[in-house]
Amino acid sequence: MTLSLGIDFGTSGARGVVIDEEGRVLSEMRHYWLVETINWVKCWREALWSLLGQIPEALRGEIGAIAINGTSSTILLTDGAGEPIDAPLLYNDGRGATALERLSWFAPANHTVLSATSSLAKLLWMQALPDFTKARYLLHQADWLGFLLHGKLGISDYHNALKLGYDVEKLQYPEWLEQLEIPLQLPQVLTPGTAIGELLPRIAADFGFKGDCLVVAGTTDSIAAFLASGAKFPGEAVTSLGSTLVLKLLSRQRIEDARYGIYSHRLGDLWLTGGASNTGGAVLKHFFSNVELVRLSAEINPTQPSELDYYPLLKPGDRFPINDPQLLPRLEPRPDQNKEFLHGLLESMARIETRGYELLQNLGADSLTHIYTAGGGATNSTWTAIRQRYLKVPVVSSIHREAAYGTALLAMGKVQIYGVALL
Ligand code: ADP
């Protein structure tokens, strides 16, 4: 039996999952880091070795393929030997804002790279670094971690490369990007899951892996979570009820609308369309502990609609499904009873989710048929029942919610979208 290893580098730590050919989880590993970490390169290296070291020895020699996902738009520059020449820029780093004006002279209007946190905006900002002349390669987090395992530089996948401006439809860098004349090697872009090379002999020997264990092209954390859910047909969607509310709907049509922060990732022959609202669990967390959320939710009758009409935000502004940077949080009137307040919040977020899916469909995405749910809110059955009432399609919890599980499926080559293998 050949096993597969998926590794997820998320926002708060790294996780690993070993699965067998039937998709059963045989082992799970975790390594957390401090949010205030300063030396990310050291931290990621340590996390990678820690995860490999946690895999039970009996399983290591059975692993045939490894894939890694990183956070989207987390990038770093390396020299010709793969050594980072400066600190990485993390997914949420907005310093690329200073490069947006220059970028707008080249990139098409409303392109997804025209955001302060896009990989390309970050790369242009990095060009002013004192050591930039030493840089030979631009790599995403997942590319660099993969390099540590297979030793090949300058390789990425079309999920990580989307926000670098790579044309995922034509599978090439667009001409306008070439005109920027960035003096380093942009990554060669592969389909996620493509074999890149065997594990370096030194690592295979140190950890007891097979010499022919393959490392394959990875993906981003949110796509890995989508793959883990099991959604694979047009019209199937995954709602992430984490700190924010993130919708992803699989569609035959590609949708791009920068006004609403909507863009599409390529997934085989289909498109993963999506948008993210600032409402979500962070607002719930502001008012209630997780224990209170469980206790109060159990007291709510989900079949009874709440009259409270909120737009739950922690600060003004939302982009999707309402594009208004000044949009004010609406959290009044606040009833005396916490149970009623929570009912109003859950119900209002369900309305925003419904409006989000309506927007994606109005812009041309396939009709919604089925929703899987991921994130901290997925376990709340009261909320699921309320959402079900609004969304009017089956709403279920994702069977597997760990991004690392989706990445393990990618490593195994088991990702089938609409009956077609990704590769
Ligand atoms: P992220 O990874 O985006 O930070 P998680 O997926 O870990 O978020 O989910 C955390 C969020 O889930 C918190 O904001 C919390 O308020 C919310 N949450 C946790 N338990 C519940 C619950 N029982 N019902 C609704 N929301 C919950």
Side-chain angles (χ1 to χ4, degrees):
M1 169 92 64
T2 305
L3 310 181
S4 301
L5 169 62
I7 295 177
D8 160 43
F9 271 69
T11 52
S12 57
R15 293 171 178 208
V17 172
V18 178
I19 61 171
D20 68 14
E21 284 167 5
E22 309 297 325
R24 284 180 296 238
V25 174
L26 303 187
S27 176
E28 289 182 278
M29 301 77 71
R30 282 165 190 222
H31 180 97
Y32 292 104
W33 51 64
L34 300 171
V35 263
E36 58 271 21
T37 293
I38 294 170
N39 189 339
W40 283 107
V41 165
K42 181 166 170 276
C43 166
W44 295 343
R45 244 193 261 259
E46 283 170 4
L48 184 60
W49 305 143
S50 154
L51 293 183
L52 296 186
Q54 288 175 49
I55 302 170
E57 279 177 35
L59 301 183
R60 289 184 208 171
E62 307 297 320
I63 294 173
I66 304 174
I68 304 181
N69 73 260
T71 48
S72 180
S73 293
T74 295
I75 58 165
L76 70 170
L77 298 174
T78 77
D79 63 16
E83 265 314 301
I85 62 140
D86 210 311
L89 254 60
L90 300 193
Y91 61 99
N92 57 355
D93 194 313
R95 282 178 283 180
T98 54
L100 287 180
E101 194 191 336
R102 182 175 155 222
L103 195 48
S104 68
W105 301 335
F106 295 88
N110 293 328
H111 196 284
T112 162
V113 295
L114 292 169
S115 141
T117 55
S118 78
S119 307
L120 189 57
K122 286 177 178 134
L123 173 58
L124 295 195
W125 177 85
M126 283 170 152
Q127 281 192 275
L129 288 171
D131 279 343
F132 185 79
T133 49
K134 291 187 196 151
R136 290 288 167 275
Y137 294 96
L138 172 278
L139 296 177
H140 303 93
Q141 180 189 31
D143 311 338
W144 184 72
L145 290 161
F147 153 75
L148 294 183
L149 298 183
H150 55 61
K152 295 191 169 68
L153 281 163
I155 301 178
S156 188
D157 61 85
Y158 65 53
H159 290 155
N160 272 296
L162 181 80
K163 292 180 184 168
L164 188 56
Y166 184 77
D167 185 334
V168 295
E169 199 157 351
K170 294 193 179 135
L171 296 176
Q172 62 190 35
Y173 284 102
E175 226 172 85
W176 63 260
L177 186 50
E178 312 275 352
Q179 284 164 8
L180 281 163
E181 294 183 348
I182 299 164
L184 49 66
Q185 180 77 44
L186 292 180
Q188 177 195 353
V189 180
L190 305 177
T191 298
T194 308
I196 296 176
E198 290 177 353
L199 199 55
L200 288 168
R202 180 178 42 80
I203 297 172
D206 282 358
F207 287 92
F209 288 100
K210 290 198 288 194
D212 61 355
C213 174
L214 282 175
V215 183
V216 309
T219 181
T220 64
D221 57 347
S222 59
I223 296 189
F226 184 90
L227 298 177
S229 74
K232 49 170 82 74
F233 294 105
E236 291 188 332
V238 174
T239 298
S240 267
L241 300 176
S243 302
T244 56
L245 171 73
V246 184
L247 313 187
K248 288 195 187 297
L249 171 57
L250 201 53
S251 168
R252 279 168 291 203
Q253 288 77 38
R254 180 179 188 175
I255 304 176
E256 305 285 321
D257 198 322
R259 287 174 304 159
Y260 298 102
I262 293 172
Y263 58 88
S264 299
H265 270 288
R266 182 176 184 148
L267 208 52
D269 293 336
L270 297 186
W271 296 96
L272 194 49
T273 69
S277 166
N278 293 336
T279 195
V283 184
L284 298 177
K285 198 172 176 173
H286 181 75
F287 293 106
F288 304 107
S289 69
N290 284 356
V291 174
E292 285 171 323
L293 285 173
V294 171
R295 181 174 55 77
L296 293 169
S297 297
E299 293 174 17
I300 295 170
N301 176 0
T303 61
Q304 202 86 55
S306 163
E307 298 301 313
L308 297 163
D309 182 21
Y310 300 141
Y311 202 102
L313 295 172
L314 288 180
K315 55 180 187 179
D318 207 359
R319 198 159 171 196
F320 173 90
I322 296 178
N323 178 27
D324 178 359
Q326 261 75 20
L327 186 71
L328 292 175
R330 200 168 61 238
L331 292 160
E332 302 282 337
R334 179 155 179 181
D336 296 335
Q337 282 197 30
N338 272 341
K339 173 186 118 176
E340 278 176 39
F341 182 46
L342 178 61
H343 192 175
L345 289 172
L346 298 179
E347 190 114 1
S348 301
M349 288 186 199
R351 280 194 287 265
I352 295 169
E353 182 185 359
T354 308
R355 192 164 170 174
Y357 281 120
E358 280 168 4
L359 181 61
L360 291 175
Q361 291 168 91
N362 289 344
L363 291 170
D366 270 280
S367 298
L368 185 65
T369 60
H370 200 103
I371 300 175
Y372 296 86
T373 315
T379 52
N380 187 326
S381 56
T382 306
W383 199 0
T384 305
I386 292 171
R387 293 168 55 226
Q388 176 84 68
R389 177 154 48 76
Y390 279 96
L391 291 156
K392 300 191 167 50
V393 296
V395 178
V396 296
S397 186
S398 301
I399 305 166
H400 293 283
R401 286 189 260 139
E402 293 277 351
Y405 184 86
T407 303
L409 290 178
L410 195 61
M412 191 184 280
K414 274 272 165 83
V415 175
Q416 293 244 336
I417 301 296
Y418 208 18
V420 179
L422 209 52
L423 288 172

